[in-house]
Amino acid sequence: MNHGVPSGTVASAVTAARAFHEEPRAARAAFYSVEPVGAVAWRDTLRVRFGPGEPDLGRLPAACRDALREYQRSLTAFGKEMAGVLSEALGVGAERLEEAMQVEGWLMACHYYPPCPEPARVVGSLEHTDPSLFTVLAQDGVGGLQVRRDDGGAGGGGEWVDVAPLTGALLQVVSNDELKSVEHRVVIKSTQDARVSIALFFNPAKRGASDHFGPLPELVTAEKPAQYRSFTVPEFMSSRREYGHSRSSIERFKVSSSQ
Ligand SMILES: O=C(O)CCC(=O)C(=O)O
Ligand SMILES: [Fe+2]
């Protein structure tokens, strides 16, 4: 499936993200905050929120705001189309996912992985599943993204291979395990080149403290009962902060293991 975004728009966004990350430290400092992370990743990340409502573009670095906005906007139609395809794949009709979730691509993470003199001693991104319905990833040519092949069982263990990730943890819940989120990580490949990537996370528009969601009712049957209890996105995010971002982050909401 083609994303329909002009290649120039993708390239400009990646170039602009690189330009921001390569500005002098003093220029970047205004956008930095300290996050509570469990381990230090060999990476800088600019996180951008484009909704709800009109984003306040003035708060974004001048070096990348127009290109990132254009890129995000140009993926809107693709997001709707992708939601339709996934919904159809689940056998619940093309409109169902959109009707239930109002899928939006508002959250963007622009990553910059500096070259490392000893790549084997650092990680770019620890293994994780994305807290999204699905994620679109743009990257330059440096490489380093790996996904864990599904070994069929719980608890991980499959080998790491180089491909692009797609399904996020939330879609695994909504689909009642019909679609699996893929665990992925980033390793540092180069002692010379910095790597740039942009992840756009597609999520339900309604994700407040009173918006519960779980498996779509029509995917819950006598043969396949609900695999997850319903929960809210804030609940999910706080569980990830507490227990980590690996595949087990949704297993905490599994019906069998939470009883
Ligand atoms: O940099 C990458 O290729 C992956 C980034 C990622 O996995 C994420 O932002 O969730
Ligand atoms: Fe990810």
Side-chain angles (χ1 to χ4, degrees):
M1 180 169 156
N2 196 297
H3 56 59
V5 179
S7 61
T9 304
V10 184
S12 298
V14 170
T15 301
R18 176 181 292 273
F20 164 71
H21 285 293
E22 292 182 350
E23 282 192 332
R25 199 178 176 82
R28 285 175 288 139
F31 302 96
Y32 282 160
S33 62
V34 177
E35 265 183 55
V37 289
V40 177
W42 193 264
R43 165 190 99 194
D44 276 339
T45 298
L46 176 70
R47 284 179 206 285
V48 186
R49 177 184 278 281
F50 286 100
E54 268 303 300
D56 179 4
L57 296 180
R59 292 182 55 209
L60 289 183
C64 58
R65 69 168 72 105
D66 294 340
L68 296 184
R69 174 58 167 157
E70 178 59 24
Y71 175 62
Q72 186 267 343
R73 209 199 295 270
S74 69
L75 275 167
T76 309
F78 170 78
K80 302 282 176 214
E81 208 183 320
M82 187 53 132
V85 168
L86 291 168
S87 198
E88 230 167 11
L90 289 171
V92 293
E95 304 300 321
R96 184 65 175 109
L97 203 56
E98 176 61 17
E99 170 202 290
M101 320 250 105
Q102 291 130 57
V103 179
E104 300 289 355
W106 284 334
L107 292 174
M108 183 182 277
C110 305
H111 303 296
Y112 185 82
Y113 302 88
C116 179
E118 294 191 71
R121 302 187 63 178
V122 298
V123 287
S125 292
L126 285 173
E127 61 197 68
H128 67 281
T129 55
D130 288 348
S132 57
L133 290 168
F134 54 90
T135 306
V136 173
L137 190 87
Q139 57 178 324
D140 63 16
V142 175
L145 177 67
Q146 304 182 322
V147 305
R148 202 204 286 272
R149 192 168 269 164
D150 189 10
D151 63 352
E159 76 188 292
W160 290 99
V161 291
D162 301 295
V163 273
L166 188 66
T167 308
L170 291 181
L171 196 57
Q172 181 164 344
V173 173
V174 170
S175 74
N176 204 26
D177 272 350
E178 288 301 313
L179 298 172
K180 297 285 184 163
S181 64
V182 62
E183 223 171 5
H184 53 286
R185 69 180 185 184
V186 177
V187 296
I188 304 296
K189 290 264 192 186
S190 179
T191 55
Q192 312 290 329
D193 304 311
R195 171 174 184 267
V196 174
S197 69
I198 302 177
L200 187 63
F201 301 101
F202 287 81
N203 275 304
K206 283 194 189 319
R207 47 176 183 265
S210 56
D211 301 312
H212 285 263
F213 69 103
L216 288 174
E218 54 268 61
L219 297 177
V220 175
T221 59
E223 298 79 54
K224 188 158 189 198
Q227 303 293 302
Y228 301 90
R229 69 171 174 85
S230 71
F231 55 88
T232 66
V233 170
E235 208 182 333
F236 174 56
M237 297 313 281
S238 97
S239 169
R240 280 173 67 95
R241 273 192 296 276
E242 190 166 351
Y243 300 106
H245 296 183
S246 68
R247 196 149 54 169
S248 59
S249 68
I250 50 166
E251 263 146 37
R252 304 205 67 82
F253 298 99
K254 275 238 160 188
V255 169
S256 50
S257 61
S258 65
Q259 280 172 345

